[in-house]
Structures are given as C-alpha cells and as structure tokens.
Amino acid sequence: MVLNRIKNKIYRSIKKILTQIGFGVKCNICHNKTLRFGSDAWHEFVICQNCGSQIRHRLLMAAFQHTDDFNYKKIIENRTILHFAPDLCLRNFFEVKSKKYLTADFMAEGYSYDSISLNIDISMMSVLQDNSIDVLLALDVLEHVPNHLEALTESFRVLKSGGICIFTIPQKDGLDKTFQDNTFVSPEERIKHYGQWDHLRIYGNDFKEFMKNVGFNVTVIDENFFSQNLVNKHVLFPPILSSNPLATNYRKVYFGIKN
Ligand SMILES: [Zn+2]
C-alpha cells in the first residue's frame, strides 16, 4: 500500500518534469499537457483526457491556428456559426470567438445534447433562410444522414456567399468510392460493413467530389499541412496505425467555400 503510493508519487513527479521540459503531447484545444493521450476502440493514444478532443478536432484547430485561408480570426471572429451535433470540446471556442453561435441537431433516438438551438435535420433546414450562415460545421455527422447529398445542397443554400462549410467523415483508407448498400439494415450488418451500428455508409475519396458537385470550392486539410513538430505535439495523426480495415487512419478535414 505505502509502496504503491510512493511509486505513484514518483511516477507523477517524473511525468510532470518530462511534460514541463517538452516531452509528451499537448492538446491544441484545451492546452492539456500529458505524456500521451488516451486510447479508444480504434486507435491508441489519440484522445485528450481533459476535453475529449480527437484527431479530427485537433486537425481542425490546427487549421484555424496555422493556415491563412481558414484562420479563426478570418473565418470565425464576428461570424455566425452553425454547428451540427456540437462537439463538446469545441463549443467553448466557438462561443467565445464567434459573433453568433447556433447549435443544431436532429434528435434521433438514442442521442441527446444539452442546450441545442435548433432541432433540425441537416438535409432539411427549411427554418433557415438562404444566405444566412457564415460557417456550417458537421464533424462525423453525414454518415448518419440518409439523404447526405441533400444535406450538402442544403448547406450550400444556407451559407452566405463566401461562407464556409466544414465536414469530417469516417472514411476507409484507400477506398475510392463511397460504399453504401441500403439492404444493410441490421446493426450487425452495419458494424461489419461500415464499422458502426448506426452508420449508413462508409466514405471513400469521392466525398470531395460530392461537395464539388453542389458548388463548393473544396480544400482538404490533413496532417501534411503541418510541420512534423506540430503533428507530433498535438497528435494530428495516429501514433500507431489501426489494423482494422474500416478504421480512418488518414483523417481529413474538408473545407468547402461557397464562392
Ligand atoms: Zn483537450
């Protein structure tokens, strides 16, 4: 008992010293510093234990902080933001930085979020006027939406000219064409083919084309946009690749500009 306490104390002290002198990782959202992040069923050492951010969230924040085109000072400050299925780790950032922060979700059975501004389906946003939103975000949302192409069309409609949509989607590494078979309706079949019981498809590299087809000018941001130092420090790429064939090892953040 006493020995364990001493061991834990020594471990914590060493961990503190190592993180202070620059070893370890740092969340670029909540600034949590630790020797390494936590793990989930898909990947080891990718989740910030403090705010719950994952690679897609930190890639987005890296784009906000380190790119010119998508710098938060340019696209978030003084803007109206519409955030679907609002990721908890990002809410505070948008609340503080934006002019108006609207959250939205379609309350499907089994999901609940606190204090949502709008209970709407992203593929049917009739309560929103044309050209009314500066930035629309939906991170890992479209794989749950039956009519995902209509969701893209609707996103284009509600955005102002010059407005930006930001999407992430689970995609199978190296898959060219999005795979969907509407005969897969059981949770077991969906887990087997798409990786999760409530996903309706697994995306491929053609997602960019889906966005282009509705009129967006698309930029795809991944870890290659950032220095190796930043990638390692903020864990913008999995430290260990998942061997699961349905895993998204190569995360991308899709920015679509409505010109
Ligand atoms: Zn964090």
Side-chain angles (χ1 to χ4, degrees):
M1 207 48 188
V2 175
L3 196 61
N4 269 347
R5 272 215 298 275
I6 294 170
K7 267 201 230 161
N8 282 339
K9 203 168 174 189
I10 292 171
Y11 173 75
R12 279 200 301 273
S13 304
I14 292 172
K15 189 174 157 187
K16 195 172 170 191
I17 292 164
L18 286 173
T19 47
Q20 276 170 350
I21 60 173
F23 280 97
V25 297
K26 182 183 178 183
C27 177
N28 61 1
I29 297 174
C30 73
H31 312 298
N32 171 37
K33 281 184 184 175
T34 179
L35 266 187
R36 64 188 186 188
F37 287 144
S39 305
D40 65 14
W42 294 92
H43 288 103
E44 290 186 88
F45 316 130
V46 291
I47 297 185
C48 170
Q49 297 95 331
N50 186 53
C51 73
S53 72
Q54 301 189 38
I55 286 176
R56 61 181 180 273
H57 305 115
R58 292 190 300 274
L59 261 182
L60 172 62
M61 188 54 72
F64 284 158
Q65 291 173 341
H66 300 287
T67 67
D68 293 332
D69 288 350
F70 305 113
N71 195 286
Y72 71 91
K73 291 184 178 163
K74 183 174 160 189
I75 70 167
I76 303 295
E77 286 185 357
N78 292 315
R79 306 286 180 176
T80 298
I81 313 296
L82 175 62
H83 188 179
F84 271 88
D87 310 73
L88 282 178
C89 60
L90 293 170
R91 284 181 76 143
N92 186 53
F93 173 81
F94 290 122
E95 272 165 6
V96 170
K97 301 289 183 198
S98 68
K99 183 171 88 180
K100 188 175 182 185
Y101 178 53
L102 296 169
T103 54
D105 213 328
F106 184 57
M107 300 296 185
E109 206 176 325
Y111 290 91
S112 68
Y113 293 93
D114 293 332
S115 55
I116 292 289
S117 322
L118 299 164
N119 184 1
I120 53 171
D121 179 340
I122 192 171
S123 61
M124 221 166 14
M125 296 189 268
S126 45
V127 295
L128 294 173
Q129 293 185 341
D130 296 2
N131 313 310
S132 58
I133 302 291
D134 290 301
V135 176
L136 181 150
L137 294 110
L139 309 183
D140 280 22
V141 169
L142 294 177
E143 67 277 12
H144 301 278
V145 176
N147 200 343
H148 65 143
L149 299 181
E150 190 59 29
L152 296 178
T153 305
E154 274 288 88
S155 300
F156 193 87
R157 178 184 71 75
V158 302
L159 282 170
K160 295 177 188 172
S161 175
I164 297 174
C165 63
I166 302 170
F167 295 112
T168 65
I169 34 110
Q171 60 186 102
K172 184 175 169 177
D173 298 330
L175 181 68
D176 288 331
K177 282 193 181 305
T178 294
F179 175 68
Q180 174 169 352
D181 183 332
N182 293 336
T183 65
F184 299 150
V185 289
S186 72
E188 294 77 16
E189 280 174 316
R190 288 174 174 173
I191 288 171
K192 185 179 165 193
H193 295 283
Y194 308 144
Q196 194 170 309
W197 70 273
D198 57 351
H199 288 185
L200 304 179
R201 62 192 73 83
I202 185 144
Y203 285 97
N205 292 326
D206 53 352
F207 181 70
K208 185 180 174 181
E209 300 306 315
F210 298 161
M211 290 177 68
K212 279 183 177 175
N213 289 346
V214 302
F216 286 116
N217 186 357
V218 183
T219 301
V220 186
I221 290 203
D222 62 13
E223 77 283 357
N224 295 311
F225 274 72
F226 309 105
S227 69
Q228 195 58 49
N229 182 36
L230 275 183
V231 171
N232 293 343
K233 186 167 147 195
H234 301 313
V235 188
L236 306 179
F237 189 74
I240 300 168
L241 292 179
S242 172
S243 57
N244 186 325
L246 295 173
T248 313
N249 283 312
Y250 296 84
R251 269 283 173 185
K252 301 171 196 326
V253 182
Y254 295 82
F255 289 81
I257 302 177
K258 176 178 173 178
N259 286 322

